[in-house]
Each structure stands twice: as C-alpha cells, then as structure tokens.
Amino acid sequence: MIRKIKGIINKLDSSEIIIQTGNFFFESIPTYRILKNCKENEEYTFESFLDVNERNISLYLFYDDLERSIFINLKKVSKLGAKSALRILQNADAESIATMISANDISGLSKLPGVGKKTAERIANELKNKFDSFISSSNNNKLNDALDALESLGFDRNKIYKVLKNMDIENIPLENIITQALKKL
C-alpha cells in the first residue's frame, strides 16, 4: 500500500495537482494546505490514500498526516464519500475542521461545501471523539461563544478559528478573548 509519495509538482492549481515520481505522473485534487503551502517545480513528500472501488481507482494526496486522518474519518461517516470528504478538505484547513468536529460546531460544519445541517450533525456525532486532542472539553463553550460573537460581526469562521487556535483561551475571560481576536482579525 502506498502511504507516502515523494515527487516534484509539475502543475498546481485549484482543480488539480500533477506530481512526477520517477517516470510516473499522478493526478490528484489538491487540498487546502497543498494549495496554500506548495509551489510548482519543487519536491515534496505527501501522505497518500489509494481508493479502489468498483467504478474507479483514485489516488488522494495530503499535505500531512492530519489531513489524511481527517479524510479517512470523514469518508467513514454514513452518506459521505471520498469525493465529499476531499471537497471539505479543499475549502478549510484541517485543524479548523478537527476543531469544529471536537467542539460540536454544527453551524461551522454546515458552512462547508456539500455539508448541510443533517450531514454536519452526522459528522459531529460519528466523529465526536476522534479529534479531541485539538480542544479541551472545558473550552468548548468559550470557543463556540467566541466564534458566534465574531462571526456575527461579519468575520469568516475559518479565519476566526486560525486566530483562536493560536490563543490560550483556557485562562482568559470570554470578553478578553473576543477583544484580542478582534485585534488580530
């Protein structure tokens, strides 16, 4: 089984990535982190997942093990397949997705492409303990309250997650969390 692929990116855009390994060329759909962190004509080592089913064979490439883990777990959610899982990873950072799942953030999950309220609830329920290392349960309410407050002010939920994940919200009152986050947004 292929677990890692090392190669040079020949083409990188929002619809596809073509990576060359020796004499072989692999085509895949890039994730958010690949689009954000990788450049053409440079060599990278990607995590991978080979999906074989009765209709096709697909090779999925991921920037790191966290993305791969989220993909595999999302793929296991009922009524959510590999293409839907990849579409989710194309539009949000893996850490944000893991945080949303751990915080049971149905509102944030339902804003991802192809995810409605019922699918968001299924994702949160079926994967609720898979990514708990990203957020402690005592901070769930503070995080959700801060997210809702900042989102109501018009900020993008993914940007808010990025700011909040770099803050120590455990020892700060909610009002100060919002004030500090506003300064960074």
Side-chain angles (χ1 to χ4, degrees):
M1 176 179 206
I2 300 172
R3 176 65 194 245
K4 291 188 182 268
I5 290 183
K6 184 176 184 177
I8 298 173
I9 295 178
N10 282 346
K11 179 181 179 188
L12 176 65
D13 61 39
S14 61
S15 63
E16 70 180 355
I17 178 176
I18 298 176
I19 187 167
Q20 180 181 0
T21 302
N23 292 330
F24 295 100
F25 291 85
F26 296 101
E27 181 179 343
S28 180
I29 299 170
T31 62
Y32 179 83
R33 284 184 172 175
I34 290 175
L35 287 171
K36 181 180 166 190
N37 298 321
C38 297
K39 297 178 180 140
E40 287 184 14
N41 300 319
E42 290 191 24
E43 186 173 74
Y44 296 95
T45 300
F46 295 108
E47 294 289 325
S48 64
F49 181 82
L50 184 63
D51 187 31
V52 180
N53 61 40
E54 62 275 356
R55 286 178 264 137
N56 66 8
I57 298 172
S58 300
L59 178 69
Y60 297 98
L61 299 177
F62 306 99
Y63 187 73
D64 58 16
D65 194 45
L66 175 62
E67 276 191 351
R68 185 178 187 277
S69 175
I70 289 174
F71 172 80
I72 290 170
N73 283 291
L74 284 173
K75 205 171 88 85
K76 293 177 184 175
V77 172
S78 58
K79 298 182 182 179
L80 194 70
K83 290 187 182 199
S84 297
L86 187 63
R87 195 171 335 125
I88 291 168
L89 280 167
Q90 276 187 289
N91 291 282
D93 186 71
E95 289 175 343
S96 298
I97 295 168
T99 305
M100 283 188 262
I101 293 168
S102 293
N104 200 26
D105 182 8
I106 305 301
S107 174
L109 288 168
S110 63
K111 291 182 180 173
L112 295 170
V115 179
K117 185 177 181 189
K118 288 185 179 184
T119 304
E121 289 171 351
R122 255 194 328 274
I123 291 170
N125 288 332
E126 292 182 30
L127 302 178
K128 62 183 167 189
N129 297 324
K130 296 284 185 183
F131 305 106
D132 284 346
S133 62
F134 290 94
I135 181 170
S136 69
S137 59
S138 64
N139 291 331
N140 281 352
N141 290 337
K142 264 196 220 180
L143 177 70
N144 283 332
D145 290 345
L147 281 167
D148 291 339
L150 292 166
E151 188 178 33
S152 69
L153 294 173
F155 293 101
D156 180 58
R157 201 163 187 94
N158 283 330
K159 289 180 183 175
I160 298 168
Y161 269 118
K162 289 177 186 173
V163 168
L164 292 178
K165 78 177 181 183
N166 293 323
M167 293 174 57
D168 178 24
I169 65 172
E170 187 173 330
N171 302 317
I172 304 173
L174 179 61
E175 297 80 22
N176 292 351
I177 293 171
I178 294 170
T179 305
Q180 288 179 21
L182 280 170
K183 291 176 184 175
K184 296 177 182 179
L185 289 168

